[in-house]
Amino acid sequence: MADARGASNSDTSGYALSTAERLLRRVSLFADLDAEDVLAIARVLRLRRVPRGAMILGQDEPGDVAFMIVEGTVDVLLESDDGRQFIVAQLGPGDHFGEMSLLDAEPRSATVVATADTELLVIHRDEFLRELVRYPQMMLRMLVSLSRRLRRADAQVASLAFGNTADRLARLLLTNARSGPRGLTVEVAQEELAAMV
């Protein structure tokens, strides 16, 4: 697994502001902002491209940036001391991660790895907190997002505490099923499915 955390040459600062609205509109936090506000936020963001398999952030390391996914996908992993991994979430375009450490100044709660070539918007802690204060609707969207994550975590804990492997697998398949031309499908590799279960 490559490590993208120190790859400053993968940062692209000052990308064309004319494309800022298009990029930011894909991120749920910014969906309700008007064009002027979006451009103001774009000025403090950096665009980072991360190759598939790269570690974006590591569990227990200090956090001073938050990430918003423009394109691509990532796995959010919990790692045990003996090296085992448990996939707690799979995130894609419009999702965000890393903001918990910015809010509470605690170390990262999980490792995040790119599962496809991924394009991220990156914002530093002081800028992030300033934007949250300026735009209450962003704060509300973040609270809703964190609440959903907590509910998912509660459901996972209950599944581990009370369910057997077959129950966990069934619940996981139902949660991750998406409608497609041939009905409901789950697009996940077998080893990823095992790590989730």
Side-chain angles (χ1 to χ4, degrees), residues 84-109:
R84 288 178 297 146
Q85 295 181 329
F86 176 69
I87 300 173
V88 294
Q90 294 181 310
L91 306 177
D95 292 327
H96 50 89
F97 61 92
E99 70 282 354
M100 284 173 43
S101 290
L102 302 191
L103 294 170
D104 63 13
E106 294 291 323
R108 300 291 191 188
S109 61

Side-chain angles (χ1 to χ4, degrees), residues 56-173:
I56 300 166
L57 56 85
Q59 184 174 319
D60 295 325
E61 69 184 22
D64 63 347
V65 294
F67 302 87
M68 291 140 279
I69 303 172
V70 177
E71 293 290 339
T73 55
V74 303
D75 278 350
V76 181
L77 310 164
L78 292 180
E79 298 181 295
S80 67
D81 291 338
D82 62 6
R84 288 178 297 146
Q85 295 181 329
F86 176 69
I87 300 173
V88 294
Q90 294 181 310
L91 306 177
D95 292 327
H96 50 89
F97 61 92
E99 70 282 354
M100 284 173 43
S101 290
L102 302 191
L103 294 170
D104 63 13
E106 294 291 323
R108 300 291 191 188
S109 61
T111 294
V112 179
V113 176
T115 55
D117 290 345
T118 300
E119 198 170 76
L120 302 164
L121 294 172
V122 181
I123 188 167
H124 287 269
R125 185 174 202 272
D126 56 341
E127 296 160 338
F128 177 80
L129 295 175
R130 188 168 56 242
E131 297 309 319
L132 281 184
V133 170
R134 284 180 62 199
Y135 301 105
Q137 61 268 49
M138 277 177 53
M139 180 86 72
L140 181 59
R141 282 182 174 271
M142 179 167 297
L143 289 172
V144 169
S145 175
L146 292 174
S147 176
R148 285 180 183 150
R149 288 186 198 176
L150 183 57
R151 286 180 188 279
R152 272 198 311 266
D154 286 347
Q156 286 176 330
V157 168
S159 176
L160 290 170
F162 304 118
N164 59 32
T165 304
D167 291 339
R168 288 197 302 270
L169 177 59
R171 200 171 286 117
L172 181 67
L173 291 173

